[in-house]
Amino acid sequence: MTKVAVFGARGKMGAEVCRAVEGAEDLELVAAVDAGEDLRAAEGADVAVDFTHPDAVMDNLAWCVAHGVHAVVGTTGFDDARLERLRALLAERPEVGVLVAANFSIGAVLMMRFAEQAAAFYESVEIVELHHPGKADAPSGTATTTARRVAAARAAADLPAPPDATMQELPGARGADVDGIRVHGVRLRGLVAHQEVLLGSEGETLTLRHDSLDRVSFMPGVLAAVRAVGDRPGLTVGIEPVLGLG
Ligand SMILES: NC(=O)C1=CN([C@@H]2O[C@H](COP(=O)(O)OP(=O)(O)OC[C@H]3O[C@@H](n4cnc5c(N)ncnc54)[C@H](OP(=O)(O)O)[C@@H]3O)[C@@H](O)[C@H]2O)C=CC1
Ligand SMILES: O=C(O)C1=N[C@H](C(=O)O)C[C@H](O)C1
């Protein structure tokens, strides 16, 4: 049995993860910790799963690494600087594994890969992410990750910036600029987590869309990561390696 602690256990994702762990025969939920509660409840855990808040996650991970607890992290807000800090923490405890993923749903992982593959073939690309109105961060971690991967693929293909004649705009009208890719955010009651990648060239467009209609969509990826992280010392970014996607 792998002993699992959940941080953010009373949140939307944390509660779903607690249910998924309790329903898995090879996993045991040993701690369910929420804001203001003592992380020491997780001391006996093999793996901690963090779905908290971008402001809280780094302290939680510092605690995990210091206590030799592997971690699976869904909380967003990981830029290069944060990943570097995490690598530095892990260098002190090289036996510990931490897996950070912007999105644990299989469809979203595939969407990001397909967008990266298509990027070199289209002059234009923009991303629209659509989420529930309780989301704290914008753009979403998934949209930011997608934009960075698309931008890298375009750069590798020597593509110039997407065409855009805008000379005059209200602030925000053209979305956020992530590595030169425009990302637009929608917050709407009734939504869970959705994204469209719009690609266009002369005479055609390609739209890649993914919808998480229920938070159960993230659970197969989270459980696969929980089962794998103990055998992956150091930092793993994304769930592709765990899914055998290379
Ligand atoms: N990678 C992925 O596949 C996914 C990632 N996410 C990300 O996961 C994060 C959480 O999302 P969601 O569940 O919707 O958010 P919620 O606000 O519903 O849940 C977050 C929970 O964490 C609690 N919390 C805050 N600080 C701490 C702390 N220091 N220790 C323990 N618990 C804490 C919050 O308590 P309180 O409300 O009292 O502050 C709340 O109960 C977000 O960053 C989101 O973007 C979401 C879905 C999928
Ligand atoms: O806050 C959410 O809900 C989600 N957050 C992640 C993100 O920011 O990409 C993953 C998914 O989009 C749901």
Side-chain angles (χ1 to χ4, degrees):
M1 291 290 260
T2 300
K3 294 184 174 126
V4 181
V6 177
F7 298 160
R10 284 196 290 279
K12 291 180 282 301
M13 281 297 290
E16 198 67 56
V17 174
C18 289
R19 277 190 287 277
V21 169
E22 284 174 324
E25 286 182 355
D26 58 331
L27 307 177
E28 181 188 359
L29 184 67
V30 294
V33 180
D34 210 79
E37 294 171 0
D38 198 333
L39 293 184
R40 280 180 294 182
E43 256 167 12
D46 302 306
V47 180
V49 180
D50 190 299
F51 281 95
T52 57
H53 191 278
D55 293 342
V57 63
M58 288 307 283
D59 287 347
N60 292 350
L61 291 178
W63 185 93
C64 286
V65 174
H67 289 80
V69 177
H70 307 296
V72 168
V73 186
T75 307
T76 43
F78 280 85
D79 54 12
D80 289 343
R82 278 194 170 200
L83 293 175
E84 265 323 298
R85 273 170 55 205
L86 204 42
R87 282 192 188 93
L89 280 175
L90 284 163
E92 302 290 315
R93 294 292 298 262
E95 76 281 13
V96 177
V98 174
L99 185 151
V100 180
N103 202 309
F104 284 91
S105 96
I106 311 301
V109 168
L110 292 173
M111 173 194 57
M112 286 188 265
R113 285 177 80 89
F114 296 157
E116 191 174 31
Q117 283 176 343
F121 298 98
Y122 289 89
E123 211 184 337
S124 295
V125 55
E126 303 216 359
I127 297 171
V128 185
E129 54 96 333
L130 311 92
H131 281 83
H132 59 92
K135 185 164 176 56
D137 55 317
S140 70
T142 308
T144 304
T145 304
T146 313
R148 289 196 180 127
R149 287 172 63 168
V150 162
R154 287 176 65 93
D158 277 333
L159 286 188
D164 180 1
T166 308
M167 297 285 285
Q168 193 187 330
E169 63 176 309
L170 285 178
R174 292 287 294 116
D177 180 330
V178 180
D179 288 359
I181 306 299
R182 293 285 162 183
V183 181
H184 309 268
V186 175
R187 297 292 175 265
L188 203 71
R189 185 73 66 204
L191 295 182
V192 178
H194 318 258
Q195 180 167 297
E196 285 190 2
V197 183
L198 307 156
L199 300 121
S201 62
E202 206 65 49
E204 70 165 302
T205 66
L206 171 67
T207 302
L208 303 171
R209 180 172 174 118
H210 176 258
D211 297 277
S212 272
L213 305 169
D214 189 296
R215 290 179 180 82
V216 295
S217 61
F218 302 109
M219 295 307 119
V222 171
L223 296 191
V226 166
R227 290 178 178 120
V229 70
D231 295 326
R232 303 187 64 86
L235 179 63
T236 302
V237 179
I239 59 168
E240 281 95 331
V242 168
L243 299 176
L245 284 170

